[in-house]
Amino acid sequence: MKKIAVITSGGDCPGMNAAIRAVVRVALTYGIEVWGIRNGYAGMIADDMTKLDSRSVGDIIQKGGTFLGTARSEEFRTLKGQQKAADNLQAHGIEGLVVIGGDGSLTGAKQLSGLGIKIIGLPGTIDNDIWGTDYTIGFDTAVNTALDAINKLRDTASAHGRVMLVEVMGRACGWIALTAGLAGGAEIILVPEQPFSSDNICKKLVESRSKGKKYSIIVVAEGAGSAMELGKYISAKTGLETRVSVIGHIQRGGAPTVADRLLASRLAERAVRALVEGRSDIMIGYKNNQCVEVPITDAVGKKKDIDPELYRLADVLSQ
Ligand code: F6P
C-alpha cells in the first residue's frame, strides 16, 4: 500500500486530533503517503484533501475538535454522493482510508467499502455507543467535563437545598449519564435503557428529604427525556425548589484526557498496521485493555448496551 487517507466525520470529539496524528506518523514509518480529507464526507465529495506530513500534525495532540474539520453530509447518504466520493479517492490513487467517527460515519465507511475502498474505522464519539469497543475516543474527556459540571452544581444545590437536574448528551444511549452520575454521586440517574416513572422519582426525592438529605442531584441522559420538563413536573408535584442545567456542547470540547490520547494513538497505530497487513472492512476497538479488530458490519449493526452492573451499583450507592 502506497497511499492512504484519513477523515474525521460526524460530531467531533476530543482525541480526534491525536488519532489523525498517529495515523500520519505511523503510516510514514511504513513509507506510506497520507492525505487528510477536510470537512468529513462533504469534503470527500468536493475533493477537498491535502497531503499531510509529520509537521502538519504537530501541536495538535492536546487540542479538542479536529483540525481537518468535520460535517454531517446529506449528499453522502445517497449512492450518487458515495460514488463521487469513492471516485475522488481512486483518482488520487488512495487505496486505504481510516475513518474516525461515530455510528453514522462508520456506516458511511461500510458503504465505501462496498465501492472498492479498503477502509478501517476508528470509534470516535463522546457517546460510547459503538458495539465492539469498551470505550470510544472522546468519551472519557466528555465524562470528565460532565463530572466537573456536576461537582459545581452540587455546591450550589447544597447551598440552597435544591433539587438539581443535569442533562447530559449521549444521543439514544446512557453511558455518559451513567458514568458521570455514578462518579458524581448522583441520587438518581435516568438513562434511555431503563424505564422510569416521574411519580416514583418524586416519591424518592420526598423520602430522601425525610431521611435527612438536604439536596438532590439527578443526572438525565438526553435520550431519556427532557430534564427541563421533568424539572417542572418535580417542582409542581413535590414543592421542592428545582433547577435544571443542560450542559450541551461543552461536553464535546476541551483538551483530551490522558485516556483519550492513549486510546486514540493506540487504535490509530493498529488501524495503519491492519491496512499494511492487508486487512480492511474492520473497526479497531478496545476490549479488556487490548486493541481488537471487529467487522465493520458488526460495529454498526449491533447495539451496545450500558453495563447493568454499573447501573445497579449507582443505585446502591445513592441511598
Ligand atoms: O454524537 C455526539 C453528540 O454530541 C450527541 O451526544 C448529541 O446528541 C449530538 O452529537 C449533537 O449533535 P450536533 O452537534 O449536530 O448538535
Side-chain angles (χ1 to χ4, degrees):
M1 184 153 300
K2 293 267 168 293
K3 208 189 258 193
I4 66 170
V6 59
I7 183 172
T8 48
S9 163
D12 65 310
C13 65
M16 278 182 159
N17 280 325
I20 300 166
R21 171 182 180 268
V23 166
V24 172
R25 293 193 175 170
V26 172
L28 291 174
T29 67
Y30 287 103
I32 297 173
E33 193 174 302
V34 189
W35 284 66
I37 297 162
R38 293 199 192 91
N39 304 324
Y41 290 121
M44 197 184 281
I45 293 171
D47 201 16
D48 187 1
M49 19 192 132
T50 179
K51 191 174 161 190
L52 300 174
D53 61 19
S54 240
R55 295 289 68 76
S56 347
V57 292
D59 196 29
I60 62 168
I61 193 171
Q62 78 283 15
K63 291 180 181 157
T66 159
F67 92 106
L68 286 176
T70 185
R72 302 191 198 275
S73 166
E74 282 307 317
E75 195 181 350
F76 189 76
R77 290 179 198 275
T78 66
L79 187 58
K80 200 165 155 236
Q82 292 158 13
Q83 190 62 62
K84 203 165 161 198
D87 289 348
N88 284 340
L89 291 184
Q90 276 150 356
H92 284 282
I94 291 165
E95 298 159 86
L97 174 71
V98 179
V99 177
I100 308 161
D103 193 45
S105 309
L106 298 180
T107 302
K110 198 184 102 190
Q111 325 284 27
L112 279 176
S113 79
L115 298 174
I117 308 292
K118 292 189 166 54
I119 62 97
I120 309 278
L122 295 185
T125 164
I126 64 165
D127 300 336
N128 203 28
D129 60 347
I130 308 283
W131 188 91
T133 188
D134 290 341
Y135 300 107
T136 54
I137 299 165
F139 170 67
D140 187 67
T141 308
V143 164
N144 276 289
T145 301
L147 180 62
D148 182 51
I150 293 168
N151 289 340
K152 287 172 175 151
L153 291 166
R154 179 183 281 278
D155 290 346
T156 171
S158 153
H160 285 267
R162 286 172 170 161
V163 174
M164 186 66 76
L165 291 97
V166 191
E167 185 178 303
V168 299
M169 279 187 163
R171 210 178 281 275
C173 156
W175 268 106
I176 296 178
L178 176 56
T179 312
L182 175 53
E187 191 173 329
I188 296 173
I189 300 172
L190 303 177
V191 293
E193 293 85 350
Q194 295 283 339
F196 62 90
S197 122
S198 302
D199 286 335
N200 285 346
I201 291 168
C202 292
K203 204 161 143 242
K204 186 168 179 184
L205 290 170
V206 171
E207 275 170 15
S208 73
R209 295 288 162 134
S210 66
K211 283 194 234 155
K213 284 207 181 187
K214 299 206 168 7
Y215 67 97
S216 302
I217 303 285
I218 305 179
V219 177
V220 184
E222 63 178 353
S226 158
M228 222 37 113
E229 292 307 312
L230 181 62
K232 280 188 209 147
Y233 189 83
I234 290 170
S235 164
K237 184 99 185 176
T238 66
L240 293 169
E241 219 187 334
T242 302
R243 293 289 186 273
V244 180
S245 283
V246 179
I247 56 177
H249 285 81
I250 288 173
Q251 294 158 96
R252 285 257 292 272
T257 58
V258 173
D260 273 331
R261 296 182 201 197
L262 292 185
L263 181 66
S265 304
R266 293 185 67 181
L267 297 184
E269 183 195 32
R270 181 67 174 261
V272 174
R273 196 147 29 101
L275 279 174
V276 169
E277 292 168 3
R279 294 186 298 284
S280 61
D281 300 351
I282 52 174
M283 180 193 80
I284 312 295
Y286 197 68
K287 282 273 189 195
N288 305 317
N289 298 318
Q290 298 291 330
C291 295
V292 293
E293 298 179 4
V294 298
I296 194 91
T297 43
D298 287 348
V300 297
K302 296 186 177 176
K303 189 175 167 358
K304 178 176 178 180
D305 216 344
I306 53 165
D307 182 345
E309 269 304 294
L310 276 190
Y311 189 77
R312 184 197 57 76
L313 178 61
D315 193 44
V316 170
L317 299 181
S318 72
Q319 302 311 308

